[in-house]
Amino acid sequence: MLSYFKYIKIPDFSGDIKSDVQNLLYLNNKPKTFEHVKAVADKNREIAKQYGLDLNICEICGYLHDISAIIPYNDMMAYAVDNNWHIYEAEKKIPMLLHPRISKIIAEQDFDITDEQILSAVECHATLKANPSAYDMALFVADKLAWDQESEPPFYNIVSDSLKKSLESASLAYMDYIVDNKMILYPHAWFAEGAKFLRNMIV
């Protein structure tokens, strides 16, 4: 997929996910994105230990989830249109919301990822979705706790405390917080479906 965008500089991949992601992001002037994905990978490993998940899978999810940062949002939209994707209303209004789906394609086509647990987690890391797997929720929560802003996220303590209960509780705590505090710009259908599913499951 990366070769579709002629301006992207593609390094020789070694097969080591961490170094390949670092080389790709640095080569395309995204060092801060690498800092973020590394932080998410580290946080996801912590969550993996807490919930008995595969550490390697969770780490790979972290490193690959924002690999699409090297592509401008308008180009993501152009790719989605050219490839006849179903584009959700939220994605039309906020093309940034396409980045998880683009990251999944890059992970699959350029990093040769075949593990559906990784691909699913990467694809829904921004919104979650109905009937999420433990790996989906782990990456979703790790991404929020290790967010890419300078200060600690305002929901950090609430989500961290909920994480002591379950991945479901932590995921829903974040979702409820950003809705209640009007931090969500436009609700994605997957977000709404995921929140409804978790609320029914927990209650």
Side-chain angles (χ1 to χ4, degrees):
M1 178 186 188
L2 291 176
S3 60
Y4 179 92
F5 304 97
K6 303 305 181 184
Y7 51 81
I8 292 179
K9 299 174 182 176
I10 307 174
D12 292 328
F13 289 146
S14 66
D16 180 88
I17 296 293
K18 178 179 178 179
S19 62
D20 288 344
V21 167
Q22 182 174 19
N23 289 338
L24 180 62
L25 291 175
Y26 270 78
L27 195 58
N28 290 278
N29 302 310
K30 292 291 182 179
K32 288 188 177 180
T33 300
F34 180 73
E35 292 176 13
H36 169 62
V37 300
K38 182 180 185 305
V40 172
D42 291 344
K43 176 59 71 174
N44 214 18
R45 280 182 63 92
E46 292 178 19
I47 295 174
K49 291 177 183 177
Q50 183 177 352
Y51 283 98
L53 303 179
D54 186 291
L55 272 64
N56 187 54
I57 287 177
C58 285
E59 186 173 49
I60 291 173
C61 286
Y63 278 112
L64 290 175
H65 80 284
D66 274 354
I67 197 64
S68 60
I70 57 179
I71 302 170
Y73 299 138
N74 61 321
D75 286 353
M76 291 184 187
M77 181 60 73
Y79 180 89
V81 171
D82 288 350
N83 286 275
N84 299 310
W85 283 15
H86 171 72
I87 303 171
Y88 293 88
E89 190 63 28
E91 295 166 344
K92 293 176 184 177
K93 293 183 178 296
I94 308 170
M96 177 193 72
L97 290 173
L98 283 166
H99 86 269
R101 298 171 70 186
I102 298 289
S103 286
K104 176 199 172 184
I105 300 300
I106 296 173
E108 191 172 28
Q109 295 184 1
D110 295 281
F111 286 84
D112 298 323
I113 299 296
T114 58
D115 190 322
E116 287 299 327
Q117 295 174 116
I118 297 173
L119 296 175
S120 174
V122 169
E123 184 179 41
C124 72
H125 78 262
T127 58
L128 210 56
K129 61 184 178 181
N131 196 22
S133 72
Y135 291 96
D136 294 337
M137 291 184 286
L139 181 60
F140 181 71
V141 172
D143 183 44
K144 308 310 178 281
L145 293 179
W147 76 340
D148 55 0
Q149 305 299 313
E150 295 297 327
S151 59
E152 185 177 274
F155 46 77
Y156 188 91
N157 290 335
I158 292 172
V159 176
S160 291
D161 288 345
S162 296
L163 187 57
K164 297 172 185 176
K165 300 175 186 176
S166 68
L167 288 167
E168 290 83 358
S169 293
S171 298
L172 188 57
Y174 166 78
M175 298 169 107
D176 284 343
Y177 185 95
I178 65 168
V179 170
D180 292 345
N181 289 275
K182 297 179 173 56
M183 292 174 66
I184 188 165
L185 298 176
Y186 195 95
H188 194 288
W190 289 6
F191 181 96
E193 292 163 2
K196 180 179 180 181
F197 180 89
L198 291 176
R199 192 166 288 109
N200 290 337
M201 183 179 184
I202 292 172
V203 173

